[in-house]
Amino acid sequence: GKQLFACLSDPWWRLNNLYWIEDEYGMAVKFNLRPWQEVLMRNMWYLNIVLKARQMGFTTAIDIFILDRTLFNANTRSGIIAHKKEDATAIFRAKVKFAYDRLPIDIKAKIGAKSDRAGELEFTNGSSIRVAVSMRSGTLQYLHISEFGKLCAEFPIRAQEVISGSLNTLHEGAFCFIESTAEGAGGHFYTMTVKAKELFDRGAKLNRLQYRFHFFPWFDDPKYQIEPEPDFVLTREYAEYFESLQSAIGRQLSIQQQCWYVIKAEEQGDKMKQEFPSTPMEAFLFSGRPVFDPNALNRAESRCEPPKRVVDVRISDGEWEDRPDGLLQIWQEPMEEESYAIGADVAEGLLHGDNSTGDIFNDRGQQVAHFCGHLDPDLFGQVLYWLAKKYNDAYLGVERNNHGHATLATLKRLDYRNLFVEELLDRDSEEETERVGWLTSQISKPFIIDNLSSLIRQDLSGIYCAQSVDECRTYVIDEKGRTNGQAGCKDDRVMSLAIGHEMLRRMPRASKRDQSRRKRGDWRL
């Protein structure tokens, strides 16, 4: 009696001993949390984004967890959303009702199902669990949205309904799991994943309305391996891929895992990285040819670090205010004897549009600070003024295309002198004229992008910001040969990186000592 009561009072014991599920062969087996499923449960937050490889059992684990919380907590409302009606029916039958029907008789006698309708169980303790394709009414304490990426890709109107309706059934302090494989960039799942990953990369302390990012790659599941044939040899392409991947993840993959991946990739083709991702952002890259070497980006990612400080720049006097949601990430504060260059990409400032971004590099080519946010162009000019002044009157290159003119006008009004100035030859008079700011054109853009690509390939990009690497991953060559962010992805950080490195190359200094330090890869801050 007492021992059983103690066991039933322990949610971890219940999850590993109480429930039965259907396995992939349709057989009834006792449910036990697999190691990667337990990692999710041990590290869950109130709101959770789960990006994962296929067939890792997260739908089952989350649904059993929610069923358990519903059964053993009175007056609890829980919901599960599937992306298709037939999936909702299957989840209810095979995961919720199957597990409940096979509970011990005494537990079912104490917590009975007083209402057993299609897609919903209502219990005698006042709790209920429902599976559907959408939920608007009532208040939920637990919500699981399964395969939300597929829902966004196939039914965008219904995905919007989930965002505006279902998520609003959650009160502050409720638990939500949005779980999916990737289904291309764009849509709500991609946007929410990128935002959650950015908070994760920054080491931000989350409030109850922010999502915690969880990623589970294919190699976390031990079933994804196979014994190689005696004559199995990795091609150079795969050998380079695994070498760079192991550098990025900080662990070695067995030859059995590598063999499985190669065989599966031959079967899956272009879908391999989407269905069985090794890193979060490669999951979303599905169209276009990558501009930057993916293996070099893996190596660059391995050198990324959380910022030392995250701040906002006060417009009135340029002072830094520490804020967990600040727009400026700092890896190195200004040092007295160093020279700095800044590259800036200017956006319109609309809340849901592109970001205005700025990257600050020291004279060794290290990214020492990164700004990203939605600001009106003139306000962005004031931020850049204070940043440039703080970083020893940095050499500042602002893209003058479109909205950049307003930013440059602010900098000229503030009398900032160390701006990049382009000298142009007047064809009629053959006289040179000066234009303040960097013009990104059909001629200049390939040059600075090729230069950034070369630096990344040589491990000389100096990138510390993980979000900068992420945008580089989804920067592609389209069918017309143009380079841009993949559809649904931003490329503002790519442009400020490229302009920043060009400013570094052109800034009036570059002693041979500085150049030699950069060439030998002295990246320590």
Side-chain angles (χ1 to χ4, degrees):
K2 286 184 178 180
Q3 187 176 0
L4 178 62
F5 179 80
C7 289
L8 291 176
S9 300
D10 180 357
W12 295 106
W13 184 91
R14 297 197 305 264
L15 286 176
N16 286 295
N17 292 276
L18 207 55
Y19 300 99
W20 289 76
I21 60 169
E22 271 187 331
D23 67 9
E24 56 266 38
Y25 305 107
M27 302 292 292
V29 296
K30 185 174 284 188
F31 175 74
N32 284 279
L33 284 172
R34 297 168 182 172
W36 54 95
Q37 295 167 347
E38 185 167 343
V39 167
L40 172 63
M41 297 304 170
R42 297 280 186 186
N43 292 282
M44 68 179 176
W45 184 239
Y46 297 94
L47 306 180
N48 301 273
I49 292 278
V50 184
L51 174 64
K52 42 82 173 181
R54 284 180 57 82
Q55 301 298 323
M56 295 185 75
F58 281 106
T59 299
T60 300
I62 293 169
D63 291 345
I64 292 295
F65 166 79
I66 289 178
L67 174 62
D68 179 80
R69 290 298 175 97
T70 307
L71 285 169
F72 286 89
N73 291 279
N75 303 311
T76 297
R77 301 283 182 269
S78 300
I80 301 169
I81 294 177
H83 88 291
K84 289 182 180 178
K85 189 173 181 180
E86 53 266 36
D87 292 328
T89 301
I91 287 173
F92 180 73
R93 179 195 64 79
K95 303 189 188 303
V96 176
K97 197 166 187 309
F98 188 94
Y100 176 75
D101 286 345
R102 285 156 181 78
L103 282 171
I105 295 174
D106 10 355
I107 292 179
K108 290 171 65 179
K110 189 171 180 62
I111 313 171
K114 70 175 186 179
S115 174
D116 184 349
R117 298 189 294 270
E120 183 174 14
L121 285 175
E122 209 173 332
F123 302 110
T124 52
N125 65 352
S127 297
S128 64
I129 183 168
R130 184 160 64 101
V131 186
V133 294
S134 162
M135 296 179 192
R136 282 195 74 92
S137 59
T139 299
L140 296 175
Q141 283 77 46
Y142 294 91
L143 175 64
H144 173 205
I145 304 172
S146 178
E147 290 298 345
F148 190 48
K150 293 186 182 299
L151 179 63
C152 293
E154 296 176 18
F155 308 105
I157 295 176
R158 191 141 54 77
Q160 180 57 52
E161 169 74 10
V162 168
I163 293 291
S164 60
S166 305
L167 289 182
N168 285 330
T169 63
L170 296 168
H171 64 87
E172 184 180 349
F175 289 83
C176 176
F177 298 87
I178 299 178
E179 156 264 322
S180 187
T181 51
E183 195 72 23
H188 293 295
F189 181 66
Y190 171 76
T191 304
M192 295 173 76
T193 299
V194 169
K195 180 61 180 174
K197 183 179 182 298
E198 181 173 344
L199 292 170
F200 177 83
D201 291 335
R202 289 166 60 159
K205 186 176 180 180
L206 302 179
N207 61 47
R208 293 187 180 189
L209 298 178
Q210 292 174 315
Y211 285 82
R212 174 167 289 173
F213 175 70
H214 307 267
F215 173 63
F216 297 94
W218 63 271
F219 47 78
D220 276 355
D221 192 333
K223 74 171 175 281
Y224 293 141
Q225 55 182 312
I226 191 170
E227 200 64 40
E229 296 295 327
D231 60 347
F232 175 75
V233 178
L234 289 173
T235 64
R236 178 182 297 179
E237 178 184 357
Y238 279 117
E240 291 177 351
Y241 175 73
F242 288 124
E243 183 181 354
S244 66
L245 174 60
Q246 289 169 159
S247 173
I249 64 178
R251 59 186 272 195
Q252 296 295 307
L253 299 180
S254 70
I255 190 63
Q256 290 81 7
Q257 289 175 304
Q258 295 179 37
C259 180
W260 177 89
Y261 186 90
V262 170
I263 293 172
K264 196 68 178 177
E266 290 173 358
E267 172 196 273
Q268 294 291 303
D270 292 341
K271 291 285 187 179
M272 183 64 183
K273 288 182 168 59
Q274 175 180 298
E275 302 294 335
F276 299 96
S278 300
T279 63
M281 294 312 294
E282 82 168 21
F284 293 103
L285 182 62
F286 78 106
S287 67
R289 181 161 55 90
V291 171
F292 305 109
D293 181 351
N295 295 330
L297 289 174
N298 280 338
R299 297 194 300 270
E301 184 178 1
S302 72
R303 293 188 292 270
C304 290
E305 300 175 359
K308 302 290 192 299
R309 290 181 69 185
V310 179
V311 305
D312 268 341
V313 180
R314 206 158 58 201
I315 297 292
S316 58
D317 57 8
E319 289 302 307
W320 291 351
E321 297 177 338
D322 288 283
R323 290 178 57 92
D325 58 347
L327 301 181
L328 179 67
Q329 299 180 63
I330 301 163
W331 287 268
Q332 181 195 75
E333 299 199 22
M335 297 182 68
E336 196 171 317
E337 295 184 358
E338 291 219 270
S339 302
Y340 297 94
I342 302 177
D345 180 70
V346 186
E348 190 174 359
L350 299 178
L351 184 59
H352 298 292
D354 291 337
N355 293 303
S356 285
T357 57
D359 282 296
I360 305 177
F361 291 92
N362 64 15
D363 52 25
R364 286 176 281 167
Q366 296 170 299
Q367 182 188 38
V368 298
H370 172 72
F371 179 92
C372 180
H374 295 105
L375 278 184
D376 288 342
D378 59 320
L379 296 179
F380 186 42
Q382 293 185 60
V383 168
L384 289 174
Y385 172 81
W386 291 118
L387 286 177
K389 295 297 289 183
K390 193 137 188 160
Y391 278 90
N392 301 344
D393 288 320
Y395 190 58
L396 175 55
V398 178
E399 188 181 47
R400 71 170 185 261
N401 304 53
N402 304 319
H403 310 290
H405 291 289
T407 302
L408 287 163
T410 298
L411 287 162
K412 286 189 278 187
R413 175 176 58 80
L414 294 170
D415 198 29
Y416 189 74
R417 301 294 180 88
N418 200 16
L419 286 167
F420 169 75
V421 177
E422 187 176 14
E423 294 184 353
L424 302 172
L425 183 66
D426 190 304
R427 292 182 179 178
D428 297 325
S429 65
E430 296 188 354
E431 292 183 359
E432 287 188 346
T433 58
E434 293 184 343
R435 296 290 299 275
V436 176
W438 171 266
L439 179 66
T440 301
S441 66
Q442 291 181 342
I443 296 173
S444 66
K445 184 178 181 181
F447 178 80
I448 62 172
I449 293 298
D450 286 348
N451 179 56
L452 179 59
S453 177
S454 175
L455 291 170
I456 289 173
R457 190 175 61 253
Q458 297 176 70
D459 298 331
L460 295 173
S461 66
I463 301 173
Y464 282 100
C465 176
Q467 298 90 59
S468 297
V469 174
D470 288 345
E471 283 199 9
C472 287
R473 288 190 187 279
T474 54
Y475 194 73
V476 298
I477 303 170
D478 65 21
E479 64 278 1
K480 295 183 179 178
R482 299 170 303 193
T483 61
N484 292 288
Q486 179 178 293
C489 302
K490 298 183 185 298
D491 62 5
D492 318 294
R493 290 181 166 106
V494 174
M495 292 311 300
S496 60
L497 280 174
I499 296 170
H501 273 294
E502 183 62 14
M503 294 305 104
L504 193 65
R505 194 178 70 84
R506 296 192 183 214
M507 66 187 289
R509 62 96 191 94
S511 69
K512 291 185 177 179
R513 179 184 67 86
D514 294 331
Q515 291 178 346
S516 66
R517 289 166 76 192
R518 184 177 184 185
K519 284 178 180 176
R520 70 171 182 262
D522 184 1
W523 300 120
R524 291 170 297 173
L525 283 172

